[in-house]
Amino acid sequence: MIDKQVPDPAAAVADIPDGATILIGGFGEAGSPIELIHALIDQGARDLVVVNNNTGNGRVGLAALIGAGRVRRMICSYPRSSNSETFPELYRAGKIELELVPQGTLAERIRAGGAGIPAFFTATGVGTVLAEGKEVRDIRGRRYVLEEAITADYALVRAERADRLGNLVYNKAARNFGPIMCQAARVAIVQVREMVPVGAIDPEHVITPGIFVDRVVAIADPAQESVLIARGEQYP
């Protein structure tokens, strides 16, 4: 049976190349894979396209990756939040690109990518600047805009528990984008708080089956974004 465990975050992200498209889980700090992101900063990959719900906070995690100049383009729903500093500065300076996507549409584009659906029509965004340049079609008396699916080279995701086969259980809201990102990426890399033996997870409780996971690394005491920001910490 396949053992998907890797020894540390550095080993988990070692082969991510320049120019990769990366899905990064998290809704604010809930489910943010900070250790994997920091390992990616240390690894040095550049010119990345990153898909996330937001652009990070403070100067840790995703915000630190952006601040290090490693991200060429962000695809997200919330480019600004209460503690966002780095992305707004770089965007105003013209040093990073932005594709703004409504949150529900973002989730569905990722889900569609994992399901092998190349595009879909949605009413969200019709008549706004977000629909400019896209096909708009009248279906049963209502206008819809065509949105293309999102797939990626890699996904960085945080879960609560896994076995060595990669079966995942999440912690409440930390579930957010994780399951669909694992399905939409060619290589899904997951950090978990706890590794358990095969069979210890009730099959009825498995949210992401191991078939969608490629690497798992155990981080018993993961960093909390809000705590790091409150301390004034930054990475590196």
Side-chain angles (χ1 to χ4, degrees), residues 95-127:
K95 296 181 179 179
I96 190 169
E97 301 172 22
L98 170 65
E99 180 180 346
L100 192 62
V101 184
Q103 188 176 58
T105 302
L106 180 66
E108 184 62 10
R109 288 179 66 185
I110 299 168
R111 190 203 68 83
I117 299 169
F120 60 92
F121 283 99
T122 176
T124 303
V126 171

PDB file of all heavy atoms in Angstrom, residues 95-127:
ATOM      1  N   LYS A  95       3.178  45.771  -9.439  1.00  0.00           N
ATOM      2  CA  LYS A  95       4.147  44.675  -9.362  1.00  0.00           C
ATOM      3  C   LYS A  95       3.506  43.296  -9.254  1.00  0.00           C
ATOM      4  O   LYS A  95       4.213  42.294  -9.157  1.00  0.00           O
ATOM      5  CB  LYS A  95       5.084  44.901  -8.170  1.00  0.00           C
ATOM      6  CG  LYS A  95       5.947  46.150  -8.313  1.00  0.00           C
ATOM      7  CD  LYS A  95       6.875  46.313  -7.131  1.00  0.00           C
ATOM      8  CE  LYS A  95       7.765  47.548  -7.290  1.00  0.00           C
ATOM      9  NZ  LYS A  95       8.673  47.728  -6.119  1.00  0.00           N
ATOM     10  N   ILE A  96       2.183  43.223  -9.253  1.00  0.00           N
ATOM     11  CA  ILE A  96       1.496  41.943  -9.193  1.00  0.00           C
ATOM     12  C   ILE A  96       0.160  42.073  -9.920  1.00  0.00           C
ATOM     13  O   ILE A  96      -0.479  43.134  -9.896  1.00  0.00           O
ATOM     14  CB  ILE A  96       1.288  41.483  -7.726  1.00  0.00           C
ATOM     15  CG1 ILE A  96       0.804  40.034  -7.672  1.00  0.00           C
ATOM     16  CG2 ILE A  96       0.370  42.414  -6.971  1.00  0.00           C
ATOM     17  CD1 ILE A  96       0.843  39.432  -6.272  1.00  0.00           C
ATOM     18  N   GLU A  97      -0.252  40.998 -10.585  1.00  0.00           N
ATOM     19  CA  GLU A  97      -1.509  40.993 -11.326  1.00  0.00           C
ATOM     20  C   GLU A  97      -2.621  40.441 -10.436  1.00  0.00           C
ATOM     21  O   GLU A  97      -2.379  39.677  -9.502  1.00  0.00           O
ATOM     22  CB  GLU A  97      -1.389  40.120 -12.582  1.00  0.00           C
ATOM     23  CG  GLU A  97      -0.303  40.554 -13.540  1.00  0.00           C
ATOM     24  CD  GLU A  97      -0.105  39.551 -14.659  1.00  0.00           C
ATOM     25  OE1 GLU A  97      -1.038  38.762 -14.946  1.00  0.00           O
ATOM     26  OE2 GLU A  97       0.997  39.524 -15.237  1.00  0.00           O
ATOM     27  N   LEU A  98      -3.862  40.827 -10.769  1.00  0.00           N
ATOM     28  CA  LEU A  98      -5.024  40.377  -9.998  1.00  0.00           C
ATOM     29  C   LEU A  98      -6.142  39.958 -10.931  1.00  0.00           C
ATOM     30  O   LEU A  98      -6.490  40.696 -11.860  1.00  0.00           O
ATOM     31  CB  LEU A  98      -5.527  41.491  -9.074  1.00  0.00           C
ATOM     32  CG  LEU A  98      -6.882  41.252  -8.381  1.00  0.00           C
ATOM     33  CD1 LEU A  98      -6.785  40.081  -7.401  1.00  0.00           C
ATOM     34  CD2 LEU A  98      -7.355  42.519  -7.666  1.00  0.00           C
ATOM     35  N   GLU A  99      -6.688  38.769 -10.691  1.00  0.00           N
ATOM     36  CA  GLU A  99      -7.947  38.355 -11.309  1.00  0.00           C
ATOM     37  C   GLU A  99      -8.960  38.215 -10.183  1.00  0.00           C
ATOM     38  O   GLU A  99      -8.837  37.342  -9.323  1.00  0.00           O
ATOM     39  CB  GLU A  99      -7.802  37.039 -12.063  1.00  0.00           C
ATOM     40  CG  GLU A  99      -9.120  36.594 -12.704  1.00  0.00           C
ATOM     41  CD  GLU A  99      -9.018  35.278 -13.456  1.00  0.00           C
ATOM     42  OE1 GLU A  99      -7.887  34.825 -13.711  1.00  0.00           O
ATOM     43  OE2 GLU A  99     -10.070  34.703 -13.786  1.00  0.00           O
ATOM     44  N   LEU A 100      -9.955  39.086 -10.185  1.00  0.00           N
ATOM     45  CA  LEU A 100     -10.957  39.098  -9.123  1.00  0.00           C
ATOM     46  C   LEU A 100     -12.123  38.188  -9.510  1.00  0.00           C
ATOM     47  O   LEU A 100     -12.688  38.322 -10.595  1.00  0.00           O
ATOM     48  CB  LEU A 100     -11.444  40.532  -8.907  1.00  0.00           C
ATOM     49  CG  LEU A 100     -12.286  40.814  -7.667  1.00  0.00           C
ATOM     50  CD1 LEU A 100     -11.493  40.533  -6.400  1.00  0.00           C
ATOM     51  CD2 LEU A 100     -12.770  42.255  -7.682  1.00  0.00           C
ATOM     52  N   VAL A 101     -12.482  37.274  -8.608  1.00  0.00           N
ATOM     53  CA  VAL A 101     -13.532  36.293  -8.885  1.00  0.00           C
ATOM     54  C   VAL A 101     -14.482  36.236  -7.694  1.00  0.00           C
ATOM     55  O   VAL A 101     -14.031  36.086  -6.552  1.00  0.00           O
ATOM     56  CB  VAL A 101     -12.932  34.885  -9.116  1.00  0.00           C
ATOM     57  CG1 VAL A 101     -14.030  33.895  -9.510  1.00  0.00           C
ATOM     58  CG2 VAL A 101     -11.841  34.920 -10.178  1.00  0.00           C
ATOM     59  N   PRO A 102     -15.804  36.370  -7.908  1.00  0.00           N
ATOM     60  CA  PRO A 102     -16.745  36.221  -6.790  1.00  0.00           C
ATOM     61  C   PRO A 102     -16.527  34.882  -6.079  1.00  0.00           C
ATOM     62  O   PRO A 102     -16.211  33.874  -6.713  1.00  0.00           O
ATOM     63  CB  PRO A 102     -18.116  36.266  -7.481  1.00  0.00           C
ATOM     64  CG  PRO A 102     -17.883  37.041  -8.741  1.00  0.00           C
ATOM     65  CD  PRO A 102     -16.498  36.661  -9.183  1.00  0.00           C
ATOM     66  N   GLN A 103     -16.730  34.874  -4.772  1.00  0.00           N
ATOM     67  CA  GLN A 103     -16.343  33.708  -3.983  1.00  0.00           C
ATOM     68  C   GLN A 103     -17.036  32.417  -4.423  1.00  0.00           C
ATOM     69  O   GLN A 103     -16.388  31.371  -4.555  1.00  0.00           O
ATOM     70  CB  GLN A 103     -16.627  33.962  -2.507  1.00  0.00           C
ATOM     71  CG  GLN A 103     -16.088  32.891  -1.592  1.00  0.00           C
ATOM     72  CD  GLN A 103     -16.305  33.248  -0.141  1.00  0.00           C
ATOM     73  OE1 GLN A 103     -17.424  33.457   0.302  1.00  0.00           O
ATOM     74  NE2 GLN A 103     -15.222  33.318   0.608  1.00  0.00           N
ATOM     75  N   GLY A 104     -18.335  32.474  -4.636  1.00  0.00           N
ATOM     76  CA  GLY A 104     -19.044  31.275  -5.075  1.00  0.00           C
ATOM     77  C   GLY A 104     -18.569  30.802  -6.437  1.00  0.00           C
ATOM     78  O   GLY A 104     -18.449  29.592  -6.685  1.00  0.00           O
ATOM     79  N   THR A 105     -18.299  31.758  -7.321  1.00  0.00           N
ATOM     80  CA  THR A 105     -17.787  31.413  -8.642  1.00  0.00           C
ATOM     81  C   THR A 105     -16.397  30.810  -8.545  1.00  0.00           C
ATOM     82  O   THR A 105     -16.063  29.855  -9.258  1.00  0.00           O
ATOM     83  CB  THR A 105     -17.762  32.660  -9.544  1.00  0.00           C
ATOM     84  OG1 THR A 105     -19.083  33.205  -9.633  1.00  0.00           O
ATOM     85  CG2 THR A 105     -17.271  32.326 -10.945  1.00  0.00           C
ATOM     86  N   LEU A 106     -15.568  31.349  -7.648  1.00  0.00           N
ATOM     87  CA  LEU A 106     -14.225  30.798  -7.454  1.00  0.00           C
ATOM     88  C   LEU A 106     -14.299  29.342  -7.009  1.00  0.00           C
ATOM     89  O   LEU A 106     -13.611  28.471  -7.566  1.00  0.00           O
ATOM     90  CB  LEU A 106     -13.470  31.628  -6.419  1.00  0.00           C
ATOM     91  CG  LEU A 106     -12.044  31.171  -6.113  1.00  0.00           C
ATOM     92  CD1 LEU A 106     -11.139  31.347  -7.327  1.00  0.00           C
ATOM     93  CD2 LEU A 106     -11.472  31.937  -4.917  1.00  0.00           C
ATOM     94  N   ALA A 107     -15.137  29.066  -6.022  1.00  0.00           N
ATOM     95  CA  ALA A 107     -15.288  27.691  -5.536  1.00  0.00           C
ATOM     96  C   ALA A 107     -15.787  26.777  -6.648  1.00  0.00           C
ATOM     97  O   ALA A 107     -15.296  25.647  -6.800  1.00  0.00           O
ATOM     98  CB  ALA A 107     -16.235  27.658  -4.340  1.00  0.00           C
ATOM     99  N   GLU A 108     -16.741  27.246  -7.424  1.00  0.00           N
ATOM    100  CA  GLU A 108     -17.289  26.399  -8.489  1.00  0.00           C
ATOM    101  C   GLU A 108     -16.298  26.200  -9.628  1.00  0.00           C
ATOM    102  O   GLU A 108     -16.256  25.127 -10.239  1.00  0.00           O
ATOM    103  CB  GLU A 108     -18.592  27.006  -9.013  1.00  0.00           C
ATOM    104  CG  GLU A 108     -19.297  26.169 -10.065  1.00  0.00           C
ATOM    105  CD  GLU A 108     -19.734  24.786  -9.569  1.00  0.00           C
ATOM    106  OE1 GLU A 108     -19.660  24.519  -8.350  1.00  0.00           O
ATOM    107  OE2 GLU A 108     -20.134  23.963 -10.412  1.00  0.00           O
ATOM    108  N   ARG A 109     -15.490  27.199  -9.919  1.00  0.00           N
ATOM    109  CA  ARG A 109     -14.474  27.031 -10.960  1.00  0.00           C
ATOM    110  C   ARG A 109     -13.456  25.958 -10.546  1.00  0.00           C
ATOM    111  O   ARG A 109     -13.012  25.160 -11.374  1.00  0.00           O
ATOM    112  CB  ARG A 109     -13.768  28.358 -11.236  1.00  0.00           C
ATOM    113  CG  ARG A 109     -14.612  29.380 -11.984  1.00  0.00           C
ATOM    114  CD  ARG A 109     -13.872  30.693 -12.206  1.00  0.00           C
ATOM    115  NE  ARG A 109     -12.717  30.501 -13.105  1.00  0.00           N
ATOM    116  CZ  ARG A 109     -11.847  31.480 -13.385  1.00  0.00           C
ATOM    117  NH1 ARG A 109     -11.988  32.688 -12.817  1.00  0.00           N
ATOM    118  NH2 ARG A 109     -10.848  31.252 -14.207  1.00  0.00           N
ATOM    119  N   ILE A 110     -13.080  25.956  -9.268  1.00  0.00           N
ATOM    120  CA  ILE A 110     -12.156  24.938  -8.781  1.00  0.00           C
ATOM    121  C   ILE A 110     -12.825  23.568  -8.765  1.00  0.00           C
ATOM    122  O   ILE A 110     -12.244  22.568  -9.203  1.00  0.00           O
ATOM    123  CB  ILE A 110     -11.634  25.305  -7.376  1.00  0.00           C
ATOM    124  CG1 ILE A 110     -10.872  26.627  -7.420  1.00  0.00           C
ATOM    125  CG2 ILE A 110     -10.739  24.202  -6.819  1.00  0.00           C
ATOM    126  CD1 ILE A 110     -10.576  27.213  -6.049  1.00  0.00           C
ATOM    127  N   ARG A 111     -14.059  23.514  -8.273  1.00  0.00           N
ATOM    128  CA  ARG A 111     -14.789  22.236  -8.243  1.00  0.00           C
ATOM    129  C   ARG A 111     -14.948  21.669  -9.644  1.00  0.00           C
ATOM    130  O   ARG A 111     -14.756  20.470  -9.875  1.00  0.00           O
ATOM    131  CB  ARG A 111     -16.163  22.423  -7.605  1.00  0.00           C
ATOM    132  CG  ARG A 111     -16.886  21.101  -7.323  1.00  0.00           C
ATOM    133  CD  ARG A 111     -18.383  21.290  -7.229  1.00  0.00           C
ATOM    134  NE  ARG A 111     -18.937  21.646  -8.524  1.00  0.00           N
ATOM    135  CZ  ARG A 111     -19.239  20.764  -9.481  1.00  0.00           C
ATOM    136  NH1 ARG A 111     -19.008  19.476  -9.298  1.00  0.00           N
ATOM    137  NH2 ARG A 111     -19.753  21.179 -10.624  1.00  0.00           N
ATOM    138  N   ALA A 112     -15.288  22.536 -10.597  1.00  0.00           N
ATOM    139  CA  ALA A 112     -15.450  22.090 -11.975  1.00  0.00           C
ATOM    140  C   ALA A 112     -14.136  21.544 -12.525  1.00  0.00           C
ATOM    141  O   ALA A 112     -14.109  20.531 -13.229  1.00  0.00           O
ATOM    142  CB  ALA A 112     -15.956  23.241 -12.841  1.00  0.00           C
ATOM    143  N   GLY A 113     -13.034  22.210 -12.194  1.00  0.00           N
ATOM    144  CA  GLY A 113     -11.736  21.729 -12.649  1.00  0.00           C
ATOM    145  C   GLY A 113     -11.447  20.329 -12.157  1.00  0.00           C
ATOM    146  O   GLY A 113     -10.964  19.470 -12.909  1.00  0.00           O
ATOM    147  N   GLY A 114     -11.761  20.063 -10.895  1.00  0.00           N
ATOM    148  CA  GLY A 114     -11.544  18.733 -10.344  1.00  0.00           C
ATOM    149  C   GLY A 114     -12.479  17.689 -10.908  1.00  0.00           C
ATOM    150  O   GLY A 114     -12.154  16.501 -10.925  1.00  0.00           O
ATOM    151  N   ALA A 115     -13.636  18.129 -11.382  1.00  0.00           N
ATOM    152  CA  ALA A 115     -14.629  17.198 -11.932  1.00  0.00           C
ATOM    153  C   ALA A 115     -14.470  16.983 -13.431  1.00  0.00           C
ATOM    154  O   ALA A 115     -15.235  16.219 -14.033  1.00  0.00           O
ATOM    155  CB  ALA A 115     -16.038  17.711 -11.630  1.00  0.00           C
ATOM    156  N   GLY A 116     -13.515  17.677 -14.042  1.00  0.00           N
ATOM    157  CA  GLY A 116     -13.314  17.529 -15.477  1.00  0.00           C
ATOM    158  C   GLY A 116     -14.303  18.300 -16.324  1.00  0.00           C
ATOM    159  O   GLY A 116     -14.486  18.000 -17.507  1.00  0.00           O
ATOM    160  N   ILE A 117     -14.938  19.311 -15.738  1.00  0.00           N
ATOM    161  CA  ILE A 117     -15.890  20.160 -16.458  1.00  0.00           C
ATOM    162  C   ILE A 117     -15.138  21.415 -16.906  1.00  0.00           C
ATOM    163  O   ILE A 117     -14.655  22.175 -16.067  1.00  0.00           O
ATOM    164  CB  ILE A 117     -17.078  20.540 -15.554  1.00  0.00           C
ATOM    165  CG1 ILE A 117     -17.814  19.273 -15.110  1.00  0.00           C
ATOM    166  CG2 ILE A 117     -18.019  21.507 -16.262  1.00  0.00           C
ATOM    167  CD1 ILE A 117     -18.825  19.510 -14.018  1.00  0.00           C
ATOM    168  N   PRO A 118     -15.006  21.666 -18.198  1.00  0.00           N
ATOM    169  CA  PRO A 118     -14.129  22.752 -18.647  1.00  0.00           C
ATOM    170  C   PRO A 118     -14.662  24.154 -18.395  1.00  0.00           C
ATOM    171  O   PRO A 118     -13.879  25.098 -18.282  1.00  0.00           O
ATOM    172  CB  PRO A 118     -13.984  22.489 -20.144  1.00  0.00           C
ATOM    173  CG  PRO A 118     -15.230  21.748 -20.518  1.00  0.00           C
ATOM    174  CD  PRO A 118     -15.561  20.897 -19.323  1.00  0.00           C
ATOM    175  N   ALA A 119     -15.978  24.317 -18.333  1.00  0.00           N
ATOM    176  CA  ALA A 119     -16.560  25.649 -18.142  1.00  0.00           C
ATOM    177  C   ALA A 119     -18.028  25.490 -17.762  1.00  0.00           C
ATOM    178  O   ALA A 119     -18.618  24.415 -17.937  1.00  0.00           O
ATOM    179  CB  ALA A 119     -16.420  26.497 -19.406  1.00  0.00           C
ATOM    180  N   PHE A 120     -18.622  26.559 -17.274  1.00  0.00           N
ATOM    181  CA  PHE A 120     -20.036  26.529 -16.902  1.00  0.00           C
ATOM    182  C   PHE A 120     -20.600  27.936 -16.997  1.00  0.00           C
ATOM    183  O   PHE A 120     -19.859  28.931 -16.997  1.00  0.00           O
ATOM    184  CB  PHE A 120     -20.220  25.984 -15.473  1.00  0.00           C
ATOM    185  CG  PHE A 120     -19.508  26.799 -14.422  1.00  0.00           C
ATOM    186  CD1 PHE A 120     -20.142  27.849 -13.758  1.00  0.00           C
ATOM    187  CD2 PHE A 120     -18.185  26.520 -14.100  1.00  0.00           C
ATOM    188  CE1 PHE A 120     -19.470  28.605 -12.808  1.00  0.00           C
ATOM    189  CE2 PHE A 120     -17.503  27.266 -13.140  1.00  0.00           C
ATOM    190  CZ  PHE A 120     -18.152  28.303 -12.496  1.00  0.00           C
ATOM    191  N   PHE A 121     -21.915  28.043 -17.067  1.00  0.00           N
ATOM    192  CA  PHE A 121     -22.582  29.338 -17.097  1.00  0.00           C
ATOM    193  C   PHE A 121     -23.131  29.679 -15.717  1.00  0.00           C
ATOM    194  O   PHE A 121     -23.669  28.824 -15.014  1.00  0.00           O
ATOM    195  CB  PHE A 121     -23.739  29.327 -18.103  1.00  0.00           C
ATOM    196  CG  PHE A 121     -23.301  29.439 -19.528  1.00  0.00           C
ATOM    197  CD1 PHE A 121     -23.189  28.310 -20.330  1.00  0.00           C
ATOM    198  CD2 PHE A 121     -23.000  30.677 -20.083  1.00  0.00           C
ATOM    199  CE1 PHE A 121     -22.791  28.420 -21.646  1.00  0.00           C
ATOM    200  CE2 PHE A 121     -22.594  30.796 -21.396  1.00  0.00           C
ATOM    201  CZ  PHE A 121     -22.492  29.661 -22.191  1.00  0.00           C
ATOM    202  N   THR A 122     -22.965  30.954 -15.314  1.00  0.00           N
ATOM    203  CA  THR A 122     -23.503  31.434 -14.045  1.00  0.00           C
ATOM    204  C   THR A 122     -24.061  32.838 -14.229  1.00  0.00           C
ATOM    205  O   THR A 122     -23.560  33.609 -15.059  1.00  0.00           O
ATOM    206  CB  THR A 122     -22.424  31.440 -12.939  1.00  0.00           C
ATOM    207  OG1 THR A 122     -22.981  32.008 -11.744  1.00  0.00           O
ATOM    208  CG2 THR A 122     -21.215  32.278 -13.353  1.00  0.00           C
ATOM    209  N   ALA A 123     -25.070  33.168 -13.442  1.00  0.00           N
ATOM    210  CA  ALA A 123     -25.637  34.514 -13.506  1.00  0.00           C
ATOM    211  C   ALA A 123     -24.804  35.528 -12.739  1.00  0.00           C
ATOM    212  O   ALA A 123     -24.936  36.739 -12.953  1.00  0.00           O
ATOM    213  CB  ALA A 123     -27.065  34.495 -12.954  1.00  0.00           C
ATOM    214  N   THR A 124     -23.935  35.065 -11.862  1.00  0.00           N
ATOM    215  CA  THR A 124     -23.116  35.966 -11.050  1.00  0.00           C
ATOM    216  C   THR A 124     -22.140  36.743 -11.925  1.00  0.00           C
ATOM    217  O   THR A 124     -21.388  36.160 -12.698  1.00  0.00           O
ATOM    218  CB  THR A 124     -22.330  35.177  -9.999  1.00  0.00           C
ATOM    219  OG1 THR A 124     -23.245  34.432  -9.202  1.00  0.00           O
ATOM    220  CG2 THR A 124     -21.520  36.104  -9.114  1.00  0.00           C
ATOM    221  N   GLY A 125     -22.154  38.055 -11.801  1.00  0.00           N
ATOM    222  CA  GLY A 125     -21.224  38.895 -12.548  1.00  0.00           C
ATOM    223  C   GLY A 125     -21.764  39.450 -13.842  1.00  0.00           C
ATOM    224  O   GLY A 125     -21.129  40.320 -14.457  1.00  0.00           O
ATOM    225  N   VAL A 126     -22.924  38.980 -14.296  1.00  0.00           N
ATOM    226  CA  VAL A 126     -23.489  39.486 -15.543  1.00  0.00           C
ATOM    227  C   VAL A 126     -23.756  40.989 -15.420  1.00  0.00           C
ATOM    228  O   VAL A 126     -24.293  41.462 -14.422  1.00  0.00           O
ATOM    229  CB  VAL A 126     -24.795  38.743 -15.890  1.00  0.00           C
ATOM    230  CG1 VAL A 126     -25.502  39.409 -17.071  1.00  0.00           C
ATOM    231  CG2 VAL A 126     -24.509  37.289 -16.218  1.00  0.00           C
ATOM    232  N   GLY A 127     -23.348  41.746 -16.435  1.00  0.00           N
ATOM    233  CA  GLY A 127     -23.577  43.183 -16.439  1.00  0.00           C
ATOM    234  C   GLY A 127     -22.549  43.977 -15.654  1.00  0.00           C
ATOM    235  O   GLY A 127     -22.705  45.191 -15.488  1.00  0.00           O
TER     236      GLY A 127
END
